[in-house]
Amino acid sequence: MKRATTPRIVITGLGAVTPIGNSVSEFWSAMMAGTSGAAPITRFDATEFETRFACEVKNYDPTQHISRKEVQRMDLFAQFAMSAAVMAVEDSGINFETTNRERVGVIFGSGIGGMWTYHHQQQNLYERGGKPDRISPFFVPMLISDIAAGHIAIRWGLKGPNYGTVSACATSSHAIADGLMIMQRGMADVMLVGGSEAVICPMGVGGFNAMKALSTRNDSPATASRPFDKDRDGFVMGEGGGVLVLETLEHAERRGATIYAELAGIGLTDDAFHITQPAAGGEGAVRSMRMALEDAEIEPSEIDYINAHGTSTPFNDRSETAAIKTVFGDHAASLSVSSTKSMTGHLLGAAGAIEAVATVLAIKNSQLPPTINQHTSDPDCDLDYVPNAPKHKTVRAALSNTFGFGGHNATLAFRAYTP
């Protein structure tokens, strides 16, 4: 039970760089059109790889938001982070010149960090004689996962709580959850939270191929990500970044901010079962969703929409469906569930942030993103997955699920804002 003095936390700004759009408006329009971001890989020669396609960010120009000098000293994941942060801050309308920046923090995660930086620097080392003086002095600062949070803070002089989160595919949901908890403890008035990822590289694709985790539908990339479909054969790797501006309601109202929705509660658990596979029946996911509902003081019957983890893998989609049925009982047949990964691919550490943006927009716009590529029903996946086309629906409250290797589970509960 929350204390009577616990502040309400609202979302006042959104930013996104995704495989289907390099702004929030482009992202939303593409989702409503059921657009797939999957296409043959262009970032490297994938001819010899088992999977030769991915959901890459397209036509991205970092210099729209970052100076050319800074771009040279930032890995691609940090560039995505900064672009999304700039857009979110602009969207929020907040003026940091008139804000107490010691009360503004940044929690920003990446599941893997600067994998392209490691790739290039290792090439420099071994292709130029193995001499260590070939390693850039910016190698470590470009590589480390927490550096995005540091860059964002430096950009605006934000001196509140600041660090990175790492929990595989649950990374940026944990960043959002931490932002909520920090503000509820009274340590900040504003938090920039989210995550980014950029690992469509030889070791990234090769590593997930070695695990047999990726779809190999090379003849039809746009139909490869098919969450909850009987013929799903693995996830499609994505990249990008997402940022949410969180504020206490009091702070947002004081400056006359536009409010998208309320971040009402969180659920954080672990399966303690297996390094990659979910627990039977989605047991950890069940506890995560129940915890989020309890924290938000929302009844299961009030949830109208769930943005699912929905990876398009045999194990996850079956166990997540079972978990939803366990938590919601008969109401599971009435609520809508969709996986935006069917369009964006799986953004790994950035998935939670991008999907939180999608969930907030679904509440704000009373419109649900579809799960595309729904063609063959699976008897183990028999909920309303908003198949192939968006659905108009008033959303009183919604959940966003993210589950990561290591058994990490994170559920975010959002509610339509009412004064």
Side-chain angles (χ1 to χ4, degrees), residues 228-239:
F228 307 107
D229 187 88
K230 186 175 184 293
D231 296 328
R232 63 193 183 275
D233 71 327
F235 75 82
V236 177
M237 189 178 290
E239 63 180 4

Side-chain angles (χ1 to χ4, degrees), residues 175-387:
I176 295 167
D178 280 13
L180 175 82
M181 290 188 286
I182 284 170
M183 296 171 78
Q184 287 181 336
R185 285 185 62 86
M187 297 172 66
D189 301 318
V190 182
M191 294 294 296
L192 275 59
V193 295
S196 65
E197 205 77 89
V199 294
I200 301 175
C201 60
M203 289 301 289
V205 175
F208 281 110
N209 267 161
M211 295 178 63
K212 305 298 181 185
L214 297 181
S215 170
T216 56
R217 208 177 294 271
N218 294 297
D219 58 340
S220 184
T223 68
S225 184
R226 46 180 67 195
F228 307 107
D229 187 88
K230 186 175 184 293
D231 296 328
R232 63 193 183 275
D233 71 327
F235 75 82
V236 177
M237 189 178 290
E239 63 180 4
V243 172
L244 293 80
V245 177
L246 305 182
E247 295 187 56
T248 63
L249 178 58
E250 179 184 5
H251 190 275
E253 288 181 332
R254 189 164 61 239
R255 69 178 188 88
T258 298
I259 295 171
Y260 281 97
E262 181 176 353
L263 177 56
I266 57 174
L268 310 173
T269 68
D270 194 85
D271 290 355
F273 171 71
H274 189 273
I275 58 172
T276 60
Q277 293 181 17
E283 182 272 338
V286 167
R287 288 184 291 108
S288 182
M289 285 187 278
R290 283 177 171 164
M291 185 183 296
L293 291 170
E294 181 179 356
D295 187 46
E297 299 178 347
I298 293 174
E299 292 297 323
S301 60
E302 296 179 78
I303 296 294
D304 296 307
Y305 172 61
I306 298 175
N307 188 295
H309 188 52
T311 55
S312 187
T313 56
F315 283 118
N316 174 85
D317 296 1
R318 188 184 309 123
S319 67
E320 188 170 10
T321 298
I324 291 169
K325 290 180 177 180
T326 298
V327 172
F328 292 95
D330 292 342
H331 182 59
S334 301
L335 55 78
S336 298
V337 180
S338 71
S339 172
T340 46
K341 289 184 179 73
S342 62
M343 295 172 279
T344 66
H346 192 347
L347 273 67
L348 307 179
I354 290 297
E355 290 157 20
V357 170
T359 306
V360 168
L361 291 173
I363 294 172
K364 185 71 172 177
N365 297 326
S366 299
Q367 197 83 350
L368 306 184
T371 305
I372 66 170
N373 300 322
Q374 286 276 292
H375 303 301
T376 308
S377 61
D378 182 341
D380 292 326
C381 300
D382 56 356
L383 300 175
D384 170 18
Y385 300 113
V386 194

